[in-house]
């Protein structure tokens, strides 16, 4: 395949849909988790649930880094940004994530300077242009974005920049999946593995899922046919009594990942003893921080932060959505008090958030489109 249209061919999708239906055992319910928020958006943007039998259910996992950041870390960032010498930079999808006292836009209205950037290298440019200010980059993301942050720190060190630092919130996907597997709240038959993260870490780190938990995982691409093929591959494993890690996204994802990116992460960052995740609580060795040799670029060491754990609003059920326990439309405030314009929880803010996907693509109930559903 060469063009994106080939990955969206309706005739091929119907053929895959028929093969999926043929693999399903009558009377058995199947539940697969798409770990990545990008997959969630593809599923509902293209109506892929309507191509699946009624006994195949897809639930979403904690694969949206903006969604899993706890409110306390937002409060810490705003606390740093309120210092008169600080100019903070952030990716755009973080600007509206609510903390206990508002989001970054609200903070700017009160006098802070938090600018949106497209890359950590933009932050480095701002630091060069403003030598009198301390520029702090709000780093966030899984292993996908950690290499760019690490490379930026290496460049800052090489240039001898003394007014640039990183407020590091990079997290790791494997501990989160393990926390899901160890949770008694959810019974899963398999995983649609994240594509973007896997371009960095590869497929090998997922092998414990099949070996220790007996669950198949298929790393998937982000086009409609990618996801349908991945579901077919999962069902085929279950039909044949196998539990393996397979790579549907082999055109992009190497089995052993990107060794250069992994080496750069390892040079600049190290594992934290523990880190708080929204919905999952504290997970050990699940996030990254600056190594001691790069302490001069660690905003958590350079600036004092409250470090207070903040509970989510009582009406918000993002935690249950992130664990796959609830569908977004089952949340009490979904689509009413909580919308993309007035988000209460992070899942409605991020472009990768499950609630935003359901809201933007009109999935307000359990009902599927009968004409497209496989019978």
């Amino acid at each position: 395949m060469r063009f994106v249209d080939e990955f969206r061919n309706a005739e091929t999708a119907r053929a895959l849909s028929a093969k999926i239906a043929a693999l399903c055992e009558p009377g058995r319910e199947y539940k697969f988790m798409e770990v990545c928020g990008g997959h969630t958006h593809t599923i509902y943007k293209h109506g892929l649930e309507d191509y699946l039998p009624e006994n195949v259910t897809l639930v979403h996992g904690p694969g949206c880094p903006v969604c899993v950041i706890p409110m306390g870390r937002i409060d810490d960032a705003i606390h740093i940004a309120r210092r008169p010498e600080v100019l903070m930079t952030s990716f755009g999808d973080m600007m509206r994530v609510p903390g206990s006292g508002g989001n970054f836009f609200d903070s700017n209205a009160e006098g802070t300077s938090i600018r949106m950037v497209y890359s950590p290298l933009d932050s480095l440019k701002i630091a060069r242009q403003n030598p009198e200010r301390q520029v702090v980059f709000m780093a966030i993301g899984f292993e996908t974005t950690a290499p760019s942050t690490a490379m930026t720190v290496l460049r800052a060190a090489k240039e001898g920049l003394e007014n640039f630092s990183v407020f590091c919130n990079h997290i790791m996907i494997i501990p989160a999946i393990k926390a899901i597997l160890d949770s008694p709240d959810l019974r899963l038959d398999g995983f649609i593995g994240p594509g973007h993260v896997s371009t960095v870490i590869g497929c090998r780190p997922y092998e414990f899922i099949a070996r220790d938990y007996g669950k198949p995982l298929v790393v998937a691409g982000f086009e409609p046919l990618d996801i349908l093929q991945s579901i077919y591959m999962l069902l085929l494993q279950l039909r044949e009594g196998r539990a393996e890690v397979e790579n549907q996204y082999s055109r992009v994802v190497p089995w052993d990942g990107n060794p250069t990116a992994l080496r750069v992460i390892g040079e600049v960052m190290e594992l934290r003893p523990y880190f708080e995740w929204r919905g999952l609580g504290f997970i050990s060795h699940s996030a990254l921080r600056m190594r001691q040799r790069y302490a001069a670029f660690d905003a958590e060491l350079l600036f004092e932060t409250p470090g207070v754990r903040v509970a989510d609003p009582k009406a918000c059920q993002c935690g249950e959505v992130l664990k796959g326990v609830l569908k977004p439309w089952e949340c009490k405030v979904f689509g009413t008090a909580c919308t993309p314009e007035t988000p209460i929880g992070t899942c409605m803010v991020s472009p990768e958030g499950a609630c935003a996907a359901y809201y933007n693509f009109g999935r307000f109930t359990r009902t599927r489109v009968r004409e497209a559903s496989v019978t």
Side-chain angles (χ1 to χ4, degrees), residues 154-172:
L154 289 176
R155 180 171 293 188
K158 184 177 181 180
E159 294 181 11
L161 277 178
E162 298 181 354
N163 67 324
F164 173 79
S165 61
V166 171
F167 183 54
C168 190
N169 295 277
H170 285 298
I171 48 180
M172 315 285 283

Side-chain angles (χ1 to χ4, degrees), residues 224-301:
L225 294 185
D226 287 328
I227 293 176
L228 288 175
Q229 185 181 21
S230 300
I231 294 168
Y232 170 78
M233 293 167 71
L234 286 169
L235 287 166
L236 185 62
Q237 285 198 48
L238 293 173
R239 170 63 71 90
E240 296 176 351
R242 296 184 290 120
E244 300 173 6
V245 176
E246 294 182 323
N247 185 9
Q248 184 275 337
Y249 204 23
S250 57
R251 67 183 185 274
V252 174
V253 174
W255 187 264
D256 291 312
N258 185 328
T260 302
L262 292 171
R263 184 171 62 251
V264 169
I265 295 173
E267 180 180 348
V268 176
M269 303 175 187
E270 63 183 6
L271 287 174
R272 294 176 183 264
Y274 56 86
F275 192 77
E276 183 185 3
W277 293 56
R278 186 183 296 250
L280 298 175
F282 286 93
I283 304 177
S284 61
H285 301 111
S286 64
L288 298 168
R289 65 184 181 189
M290 295 292 110
R291 287 191 180 275
Q292 184 60 40
R293 73 172 72 104
Y294 295 102
F297 301 98
D298 190 344
E300 289 182 81
L301 298 178

Side-chain angles (χ1 to χ4, degrees), residues 73-90 95 103-115 133-138 165 167 299 303-306:
R73 296 293 288 183
I74 302 297
D75 289 355
D76 288 346
I78 291 175
H79 183 84
I80 294 173
R82 283 178 177 155
R83 297 178 65 98
E85 75 275 21
V86 168
L87 190 163
M88 182 167 280
T89 59
S90 169
M95 297 296 291
N103 58 35
F104 286 175
F105 282 128
D106 298 326
S107 180
N108 278 347
E110 296 171 358
T112 64
S113 181
I114 305 177
R115 298 187 190 178
R133 303 291 294 274
Q134 287 293 324
V135 177
V136 180
F137 173 59
M138 174 79 174
S165 61
F167 183 54
F303 306 102
E304 182 182 352
T305 57

